[in-house]
Amino acid sequence: MPLSRHISPDDLLRKHQERYRTHSGRKLSGAPCTSGRSMHVASPYINRYTAWEPIPKYKLPINGVDSKSAYQIIHDDLDLDGKPNLNLASFVSTFVEDECLRLTVENITKNLADSDEYPALMDIHSRCISILGSMWNASPSEKPIGSATTGSSEAIHLGGLAMKRRWQEKRKAEGKDTSNPNIIMGANAQVALEKFARYFEVESRLIPVSEESNHCLDASKVLDYVDENTIGIYVILGSTYTGHYEPVKQISEILDQYEAETGLDIPIHVDAASGGFVAPFCHPNTVWDFRLKRVHSINTSGHKYGLVAAGLGWIIWRSEAYLPKHLIFELKYLGGVEQSFTLNFSRPGYQVIQQYYNFIHLGQGGYRRIQRNSLANARLLSNVLESTGYFTCLSEIHRKKGLHKYLPGIVEDSDDPESYNAGLPVVAWRLSDDFKKNYPHLKQASISTMLRVKGYIIPNYPLPSDEADVEILRVVVRESMSADLLEQLCEDIVIVTETLISSDPIDMAALAHPLQRIQEESHFARAATSLGSLSEHGSTSHLSQTTKHKHGHYKGVC
């Protein structure tokens, strides 16, 4: 990819490579001549490809390379990646124990879709479903059902699809129209939730967020958005922006009252991508799961606080009655009878093995220690940041339960997460109002840029559309954040901030993401923009693309 809109490094490289081949007596095709410099000289590092004979990047090489060279070339390419442990933007686990890694290598070719060939793997899959159902207080008498998925995105789509199909079946049985389904979520919803609405032709009704609603779904506004066409509501246990738990129980009670008054039964799907592995061990008194009858399904990401490598999600329905039978397929061509109700089919089985390894290796005590330690580290970082006077935290896991404002000198000393406001081990913060008044030249994004120079990936981004004028920095505290790393991070944030304070006004926006502008100008981005314009101005869908509402805009399908 070019690094400049004016200069193409690829073109320059090809030009100078051709000059070298011409002057050295090599053919333009790159084939060696007897009179020229030979490139077939053995090297202990890479024995064939050099700066003058690079491997083709965008088409198959004619003859390929030996395995050692292939390894070294790709290994060197990947050296340009950041260090996973310093990627503090991501919720995804980056640590795998040695014994778990051995199991991964031993089973890396096993296909989770092939139950006839891998019955032991499928048995482990079933055990994981049972363990998760137990963690989330599912009742065995209701016959819970679930599956591993390719991350939480697929799980969220399955949960939404089941709600849509149940709504359609009920409406058809009543002789009513089924052409205008809608689903409700907060404006802070992660993109996977909005993808469901767009991909499966459901009107997305986004409830505005505010500081009063902890920057996530506002329960007090739910009834302004529901109607007879509402298939359900997505409630998030751990907002991507600030880590807050959305009030599942409160929303459930509001919908209970709504059903008593109107007869309309609105189900809840809980997106517990991160919180599903945190709340059971750190906030057992928070009622959000299958203890609430209105919660029909829950998803989580095994690859987040489930401590598995990237690529594993889970979904569980409280009862098989909530998974419409016509979404289940029976397949017989793999040797036995295979039931399938996922969007994907063939997929790796080793991730399920990693999850089961963690379950039996860590147990309740191990998960509790790890998640509570992550919360303790997040609280420490939060307190340090606010103590500087430079920053204000929007996340609240470090504040005494019920306290929602920073008060200097007020610090809770308890080790019990239940003493604090419930939430994920996430620290979201911004420059304080006093700081911005005293140092108006300092842009918050510059802190993110300068920390990137030190190797950290800490994003600076705006809150959802209703609060888009507020930018935040965010750190996700994972298992792999050691005390030493945490101490160094606190020191580096302060040093970077004070360096910027004493520097001349500099606009570092151009340095923050050097590829972002190019990607936005690429053909793909332009195509995406065109599609967006079409959805707003030229779609012929029977659904309204942008529906005005007294509390904002609904996002329709394209």
Side-chain angles (χ1 to χ4, degrees):
M1 172 159 312
L3 298 180
S4 166
R5 71 185 69 182
H6 304 298
I7 298 173
S8 170
D10 287 342
D11 290 343
L12 293 178
L13 281 168
R14 282 194 294 270
K15 175 182 177 181
H16 287 284
Q17 286 163 356
E18 292 302 329
R19 285 183 58 198
Y20 170 79
R21 291 169 183 157
T22 300
H23 289 295
S24 63
R26 296 169 64 83
K27 297 179 182 178
L28 291 180
S29 64
C33 293
T34 56
S35 59
R37 176 182 172 185
S38 173
M39 299 305 296
H40 194 65
V41 177
S43 165
Y45 194 74
I46 299 177
N47 74 356
R48 178 171 175 182
Y49 289 98
T50 70
W52 306 115
E53 193 175 344
I55 188 169
K57 291 182 179 179
Y58 305 111
K59 61 181 179 180
L60 284 174
I62 295 174
N63 297 315
V65 299
D66 61 275
S67 59
K68 181 178 178 181
S69 296
Y71 167 84
Q72 195 64 59
I73 290 167
I74 298 172
H75 175 86
D76 290 350
D77 278 346
L78 294 174
D79 273 347
L80 298 173
D81 280 341
K83 295 181 179 178
N85 199 38
L86 294 182
N87 181 3
L88 305 183
S90 177
F91 286 85
V92 177
S93 176
T94 58
F95 172 74
V96 179
E97 292 189 64
D98 290 341
E99 291 77 11
C100 188
L101 191 58
R102 284 178 57 194
L103 285 169
T104 298
V105 173
E106 292 168 1
N107 295 278
I108 200 166
T109 61
K110 289 187 176 178
N111 184 357
L112 189 60
D114 196 342
S115 61
D116 192 61
E117 185 173 356
Y118 306 115
L121 173 61
M122 296 309 298
D123 188 42
I124 287 175
H125 174 268
S126 297
R127 296 178 207 174
C128 288
I129 293 293
S130 296
I131 291 170
L132 286 167
S134 176
M135 277 173 48
W136 299 337
N137 294 291
S139 171
S141 63
E142 289 192 85
K143 297 182 179 179
I145 187 172
S147 177
T149 58
T150 307
S152 270
S153 294
E154 181 188 4
I156 287 166
H157 289 193
L158 289 169
L161 188 57
M163 291 192 295
K164 179 183 177 182
R165 293 299 171 85
R166 293 189 75 249
W167 173 83
Q168 288 175 324
E169 290 173 355
K170 185 174 184 296
R171 298 278 292 181
K172 287 178 180 178
E174 297 171 348
K176 297 179 179 178
D177 179 60
T178 63
S179 63
N180 295 292
N182 67 69
I183 191 165
I184 297 169
M185 64 192 83
N188 61 307
Q190 202 263 358
V191 67
L193 282 70
E194 292 194 68
K195 277 185 176 182
F196 162 75
R198 186 174 298 184
Y199 293 171
F200 291 95
E201 297 187 309
V202 177
E203 179 188 358
S204 176
R205 294 186 171 182
L206 303 183
I207 298 179
V209 303
S210 65
E211 185 175 358
E212 290 71 30
S213 68
N214 292 325
H215 315 284
C216 53
L217 193 152
D218 189 341
S220 68
K221 296 180 179 179
V222 167
L223 293 184
D224 295 335
Y225 289 78
V226 297
D227 58 30
E228 64 178 358
N229 291 321
T230 301
I231 67 171
I233 181 169
Y234 281 136
V235 187
I236 304 171
L237 195 74
S239 172
T240 301
Y241 288 87
T242 60
H244 284 95
Y245 293 166
E246 293 184 337
V248 186
K249 183 179 180 183
Q250 182 184 359
I251 293 169
S252 177
E253 291 170 348
I254 290 171
L255 294 175
D256 286 344
Q257 182 62 35
Y258 180 75
E259 182 178 7
E261 295 173 356
T262 65
L264 295 175
D265 181 10
I266 310 296
I268 292 175
H269 173 90
V270 178
D271 174 17
S274 296
F277 274 102
V278 175
F281 305 108
C282 300
H283 309 109
N285 296 327
T286 299
V287 179
W288 63 274
D289 51 19
F290 291 126
R291 286 171 285 184
L292 301 171
K293 293 296 184 182
R294 195 163 296 278
V295 173
H296 286 190
S297 51
I298 300 172
N299 72 273
T300 195
S301 293
H303 63 227
K304 293 181 180 176
Y305 288 101
L307 310 179
V308 172
L312 180 66
W314 298 97
I315 183 168
I316 296 181
W317 287 269
R318 69 176 307 116
S319 167
E320 58 186 12
Y322 296 110
L323 178 61
K325 288 184 170 54
H326 66 273
L327 292 181
I328 302 175
F329 292 83
E330 284 194 355
L331 310 171
K332 301 178 181 179
Y333 54 77
L334 292 177
V337 178
E338 171 79 21
Q339 284 194 330
S340 174
F341 51 87
T342 55
L343 301 179
N344 293 297
F345 190 59
S346 293
R347 58 199 189 279
Y350 71 83
Q351 296 153 332
V352 172
I353 296 171
Q354 287 187 355
Q355 187 73 83
Y356 188 60
Y357 170 86
N358 285 338
F359 282 159
I360 64 174
H361 172 54
L362 296 175
Q364 295 182 33
Y367 269 105
R368 185 177 295 109
R369 285 190 299 273
I370 290 171
Q371 314 301 32
R372 291 191 174 202
N373 183 66
S374 295
L375 277 168
N377 284 340
R379 290 196 300 269
L380 176 57
L381 175 58
S382 302
N383 286 322
V384 169
L385 290 171
E386 288 196 323
S387 295
T388 64
Y390 300 159
F391 306 108
T392 296
C393 286
L394 284 72
S395 52
E396 300 184 310
I397 53 170
H398 61 301
R399 297 192 181 119
K400 187 176 180 179
K401 183 171 287 188
L403 182 63
H404 301 288
K405 183 183 294 185
Y406 172 61
L407 297 175
I410 305 298
V411 178
E412 181 70 26
D413 293 326
S414 174
D415 289 332
D416 183 5
E418 293 282 48
S419 299
Y420 305 87
N421 294 314
L424 301 177
V426 168
V427 183
W429 77 98
R430 64 173 176 82
L431 293 173
S432 67
D433 294 336
D434 287 341
F435 184 94
K436 288 189 284 188
K437 185 185 301 181
N438 294 329
Y439 307 102
H441 73 280
L442 198 159
K443 295 188 177 182
Q444 188 170 289
S446 298
I447 297 175
S448 175
T449 302
M450 293 292 286
L451 288 170
R452 183 65 181 258
V453 173
K454 289 178 172 287
Y456 302 105
I457 300 177
I458 299 177
N460 180 82
Y461 58 97
L463 287 173
S465 56
D466 306 288
E467 299 183 282
D469 57 328
V470 178
E471 291 185 344
I472 61 172
L473 294 152
R474 192 199 67 196
V475 163
V476 179
V477 178
R478 304 190 301 271
E479 173 195 18
S480 54
M481 178 173 281
S482 65
D484 287 342
L485 177 57
L486 177 61
E487 180 180 338
Q488 187 64 52
L489 174 63
C490 291
E491 181 178 335
D492 286 337
I493 291 173
V494 172
I495 289 174
V496 161
T497 305
E498 293 184 343
T499 299
L500 290 169
I501 288 173
S502 60
S503 301
D504 293 331
I506 299 174
D507 182 3
M508 295 191 175
L511 302 176
H513 301 287
L515 295 180
Q516 182 175 341
R517 296 187 310 280
I518 297 167
Q519 291 169 344
E520 289 174 351
E521 295 167 3
S522 69
H523 293 294
F524 181 82
R526 285 197 295 273
T529 302
S530 299
L531 286 173
S533 300
L534 176 62
S535 69
E536 292 181 8
H537 306 296
S539 174
T540 57
S541 169
H542 62 273
L543 293 180
S544 172
Q545 297 307 311
T546 306
T547 307
K548 182 66 178 172
H549 189 271
K550 62 183 177 179
H551 288 296
H553 287 79
Y554 295 154
K555 290 187 179 179
V557 300
C558 63

